[in-house]
Amino acid sequence: MSQPAESAASYSSQPLLPTISGPDDVKALPLEALPQLAQEIRDEIIQVTSVNGGHVGSNLGVVELCIGLHRVFSTPTDQFVFDVAHQGYVHKLLTGRAGEFFRGLRKTNGASGFLYRSESKHDAFGAGHAGTALSAALGMATARDLRGSAEHVVAVCGDAAFTCGVTLEALNNVVGSTKRLIVVLNDNEWSIAKNVGAIAHYLNRLSTNPTYNKIHHDLERFCTSLPGGHEMHRVYMKWKRETKDFFVESSLFEKFGLRYIGPVDGHDQEKMIKNLEFAKQGDQTVLLHVITKKGKGLDAAIRSPEKFHGASPYDSATGENKKGPAGTPPNYQDVMGKALTKFALADSRIVGITGAMPAGTGLTHLAQGCPRQFFDVGIAEEHAVLFAAGLATKGMRPVCAIYSTFLQRGYDQIIHDVALQNLPVTFCMDRAGLSANDGPTHHGLFDISYLRCIPGVTVMQPKDEDELVDMLHTSLQLDGPGFIRYPRGAGQGTPIKETPATLPVGKAEVVREGTNIMIWALGPMVQDALVIADRLAAEEGLSVGVVNARFAKPIDHTLLHKHATPGSMIVTMEDHVVTGGFGTAVLESLQDCDHKTGLERIGWPDNFVEHGSSVEILRAAHGLSPDDIHQRILHRWRSAKEITI
Ligand SMILES: Cc1ncc(C[n+]2csc(CCOP(=O)(O)OP(=O)(O)O)c2C)c(N)n1
């Protein structure tokens, strides 16, 4: 399905990509070889992502841009800061990571799907969350100035990065921080979904104003055709900057002290190189506005940019997703989105808010079923939370659907604006727990710890998708903030009741009674706990009970203390860091009442967990496979008995 490059065949019959072991090899190629290199890079990205999944569209769109960057600048001395860093595949392929390592993209021991300083000296700054590039690049450029060195710092930002508050904060500080910085604005008009808001509209006007662009293209062609064209081109670019305001209101970026260059066709390799060279000259802070096509080279990705933003494995010929096993239960996100739509249709006070992730959070269902009650605010989690707080003051029942990891952005707003004023905002924290192949920037492993310390909040996790609907229903009736965490991917296959239940807040559910050991499990860990309990009973003759804890705050102290009998043992299980998590809440509760019961807390260790091929592989690598947990519980039980004897 990859489209043939016009001149790809004309340079060499030998593949070029295997000859690229670093940026110097990119520089050594003649200009005529670059279309073939671009085509091979696209083929490789399609080949690898069709098997491993990954960020297809964003990377196919930046091929010429990244080749241009490595032709004009020299990493690691010069530094590129990629926003989100999900579009770093081309950069990886040009900096010595092609071959087996790249083929293992997002898999255990393979290349990460994002950029990490620890992965390569060419990765100047790590990321996975959006909007960080401009601030970080500004810091690096300022450090360079203070230290008196000469390297270039280039921030590469997508158009959606400019919907992030932090990008705008950095923009506001360019003038006061440095006199030399290059910002490449890679404008493809898409976030994950279509980019939203006034800035997206403004960029669209900048790139599509027909009068301006016609004059610009004619004059540029004319200048470069003259003898001494380079100088003419320079004079022309100056004129262009100065006249752009006349055609397209005013160039916003100039007001922030960035010389605006563009718009430039990001797939015209020669133009890309020429404009990057121009941006590199002298002491200046510039913004190079590059227009690219998300998914270029793969028809299916051009047709469906949202689906191919972060795609699961697909057929490279048809673009169809490779089928999972038959009968896979629906994803948690879809269950939530459909339930919310049903509730919103029955109650006009209910509204759903997403920060640029309508499909990922399941809010597409609401957007389609109840569009007036749906808001996509862009990559603006802080604003999403505050916006919800404002809505709640007027009697609305807002639901913020934000991945656990991205809600970290809205922490002050959660405390200062929602919790302190006890406003009834519901937070649906998708991707809570391990997000295996995306890695540490995307694991949702900290939310219980960062929420549990806030007074008055309710934090819960359902054991299955039916209970998720109950929790949403319950949270929408709370007088204050409610947080529901649930994992990525498919539910347990539990049928959803017609009428949801209102759960008693702070009450756990005993799934199975036991007298020796009680496992208090949170969320889908309940299923694992049942398997472990069966095995401990069958192999060791122990009576092991299982509790579906449901609430990480408030926890069910009464039931817990009932289980904390002398000689028995309590085990907690959570898909969350053990530090400050649910197990710690249990520990504190037992400690406060001076219970001496043995307690084993199972959760992720106090480390950043790497990316890996699957949750199972990562659990095994960190001593959290069901077998490891079984052994830990048994070991703890036996040692406690020895001490008692
Ligand atoms: C704080 C945060 N919120 C949400 C996301 C999810 N996310 C990843 S990429 C992306 C869109 C990026 O769009 P853009 O910067 O324009 O780059 P493109 O993929 O279009 O090249 C979003 C919303 C994120 N990474 N970080």
Side-chain angles (χ1 to χ4, degrees):
M1 183 74 16
S2 169
Q3 294 159 352
E6 311 78 53
S7 44
S10 62
Y11 180 70
S12 165
S13 56
Q14 297 302 313
L16 297 175
L17 188 54
T19 69
I20 305 290
S21 58
D24 287 347
D25 298 324
V26 184
K27 290 185 182 68
L29 286 174
L31 216 51
E32 316 82 80
L34 299 186
Q36 179 179 333
L37 178 63
Q39 181 63 34
E40 288 178 25
I41 289 172
R42 287 202 166 89
D43 289 343
E44 182 70 0
I45 289 172
I46 293 168
Q47 165 62 31
V48 172
T49 56
S50 66
V51 178
N52 301 7
H55 288 99
V56 186
S58 315
N59 281 287
L60 292 178
V62 296
V63 176
E64 288 80 9
L65 167 59
C66 290
I67 292 176
L69 284 168
H70 281 290
R71 291 281 289 203
V72 174
F73 299 94
S74 295
T75 61
T77 306
D78 294 328
Q79 297 176 330
F80 305 152
V81 186
F82 288 92
D83 204 74
V84 193
H86 62 311
Q87 77 293 54
Y89 301 177
V90 187
H91 166 72
K92 287 186 193 228
L93 288 169
L94 297 177
T95 49
R97 283 171 273 182
E100 275 317 295
F101 188 62
F102 187 74
R103 298 234 156 137
L105 183 74
R106 306 169 83 235
K107 302 229 172 263
T108 303
N109 298 325
S112 151
F114 297 90
L115 298 177
Y116 288 95
R117 285 165 58 82
S118 53
E119 190 178 291
S120 165
K121 63 182 181 191
H122 297 279
D123 298 354
F125 204 78
H129 290 199
T132 61
L134 192 49
S135 285
L138 209 48
M140 290 157 87
T142 304
R144 173 207 54 210
D145 299 347
L146 290 171
R147 295 169 52 159
S149 51
E151 70 275 13
H152 295 276
V153 178
V154 184
V156 182
C157 305
D159 47 301
F162 286 84
T163 65
C164 296
V166 62
T167 302
L168 301 181
E169 289 168 28
L171 197 59
N172 192 42
N173 275 289
V174 171
V175 173
S177 305
T178 184
K179 292 197 166 24
R180 196 154 67 86
L181 176 73
I182 299 162
V183 182
V184 176
L185 163 54
N186 170 36
D187 184 359
N188 56 26
E189 294 183 26
W190 287 81
S191 180
I192 292 180
K194 191 82 177 164
N195 200 9
V196 297
I199 291 181
H201 180 70
Y202 169 74
L203 292 178
N204 186 263
R205 274 179 49 76
L206 267 185
S207 57
T208 58
N209 186 290
T211 319
Y212 170 75
N213 284 337
K214 169 108 184 59
I215 297 173
H216 162 47
H217 288 124
D218 290 353
L219 276 174
E220 193 170 16
R221 202 172 321 122
F222 174 69
C223 286
T224 37
S225 69
L226 293 174
H230 193 73
E231 180 54 18
M232 282 298 287
H233 188 255
R234 198 188 61 75
V235 173
Y236 163 66
M237 294 291 261
K238 184 167 181 298
W239 174 85
K240 188 183 142 196
R241 272 198 322 277
E242 282 159 9
T243 56
K244 180 134 197 154
D245 284 7
F246 178 74
F247 294 102
V248 200
E249 301 160 5
S250 61
S251 173
L252 177 74
F253 300 107
E254 301 272 342
K255 304 263 184 278
F256 286 97
L258 287 158
R259 295 177 70 170
Y260 175 87
I261 309 173
V264 179
D265 175 356
H267 300 301
D268 182 327
Q269 189 69 76
E270 272 188 62
K271 259 193 201 157
M272 265 320 315
I273 293 170
K274 201 183 293 169
N275 278 281
L276 284 167
E277 268 164 359
F278 181 76
K280 188 180 171 183
Q281 286 167 15
D283 269 358
Q284 53 178 349
T285 47
V286 297
L287 181 131
L288 175 60
H289 187 186
V290 176
I291 308 297
T292 60
K293 183 107 204 128
K294 203 159 179 170
K296 185 172 170 62
L298 183 68
D299 290 345
I302 290 177
R303 278 198 308 275
S304 314
E306 191 167 359
K307 175 178 155 194
F308 279 88
H309 174 87
S312 41
Y314 59 96
D315 182 325
S316 58
T318 63
E320 289 299 314
N321 277 126
K322 289 182 181 156
K323 295 255 178 299
T328 307
N331 286 333
Y332 278 96
Q333 73 211 42
D334 287 316
V335 171
M336 193 288 286
K338 285 182 183 165
L340 179 61
T341 309
K342 189 171 151 194
F343 297 156
L345 284 168
D347 182 346
S348 60
R349 297 174 308 149
I350 296 174
V351 295
I353 302 158
T354 173
M357 323 249 356
T361 56
L363 284 207
T364 319
H365 298 287
L366 184 69
Q368 285 160 2
C370 222
R372 265 176 55 80
Q373 286 156 259
F374 163 81
F375 297 91
D376 179 353
V377 297
I379 314 175
E381 289 80 5
E382 307 96 304
H383 166 61
V385 178
L386 253 169
F387 179 59
L391 283 158
T393 63
K394 293 277 188 189
M396 305 298 281
R397 301 296 315 214
V399 175
C400 274
I402 299 178
Y403 290 8
S404 162
T405 185
F406 301 143
L407 192 59
Q408 291 162 193
R409 277 280 164 88
Y411 193 53
D412 184 50
Q413 289 72 20
I414 289 172
I415 296 180
H416 174 268
D417 303 292
V418 176
L420 187 55
Q421 308 191 87
N422 199 35
L423 291 170
V425 178
T426 291
F427 294 88
C428 286
M429 299 186 293
D430 205 314
R431 275 48 166 193
L434 208 73
S435 192
N437 42 26
D438 281 332
T441 54
H442 283 59
H443 297 323
L445 293 178
F446 306 115
D447 54 78
I448 298 177
S449 308
Y450 74 64
L451 294 171
R452 209 170 60 76
C453 55
I454 305 173
V457 304
T458 303
V459 184
M460 44 198 146
Q461 180 165 10
K463 68 175 184 301
D464 59 28
E465 58 271 46
D466 181 48
E467 202 165 76
L468 169 60
V469 180
D470 293 342
M471 286 186 176
L472 181 58
H473 175 69
T474 304
S475 184
L476 284 165
Q477 297 168 63
L478 293 176
D479 288 333
F483 295 82
I484 311 168
R485 70 188 307 264
Y486 46 94
R488 179 184 186 181
Q492 309 284 332
T494 314
I496 311 246
K497 296 183 291 292
E498 187 50 39
T499 310
T502 303
L503 302 173
V505 172
K507 292 285 163 219
E509 175 196 35
V510 178
V511 182
R512 180 185 296 176
E513 294 287 359
T515 52
N516 298 129
I517 299 172
M518 287 304 289
I519 306 181
W520 279 59
L522 199 58
M525 284 288 182
V526 170
Q527 298 305 325
D528 287 4
L530 285 167
V531 174
I532 291 166
D534 281 343
R535 193 169 154 200
L536 286 168
E539 293 177 12
E540 311 295 329
L542 291 170
S543 167
V544 183
V546 174
V547 173
N548 168 23
R550 280 186 179 152
F551 294 87
K553 178 163 187 164
I555 63 167
D556 192 340
H557 298 283
T558 313
L559 183 67
L560 181 67
H561 296 172
K562 206 176 121 202
H563 288 163
T565 52
S568 71
M569 182 176 141
I570 289 174
V571 176
T572 59
M573 284 175 64
E574 60 194 306
D575 188 10
H576 185 274
V577 284
V578 89
T579 323
F582 168 67
T584 309
V586 168
L587 177 67
E588 287 167 3
S589 177
L590 294 175
Q591 163 72 27
D592 288 349
C593 293
D594 215 15
H595 282 295
K596 300 279 186 280
T597 318
L599 174 65
E600 182 71 18
R601 290 178 294 150
I602 310 283
W604 292 94
D606 187 14
N607 297 319
F608 286 109
V609 179
E610 69 281 13
H611 73 275
S613 304
S614 67
V615 170
E616 290 69 32
I617 287 176
L618 284 168
R619 280 180 64 171
H622 290 270
L624 291 173
S625 70
D627 195 46
D628 294 327
I629 297 173
H630 171 96
Q631 294 303 334
R632 264 174 70 175
I633 296 173
L634 199 55
H635 177 75
R636 182 71 185 243
W637 172 257
R638 284 181 180 152
S639 0
K641 290 297 125 188
E642 274 163 28
I643 292 165
T644 316
I645 290 161

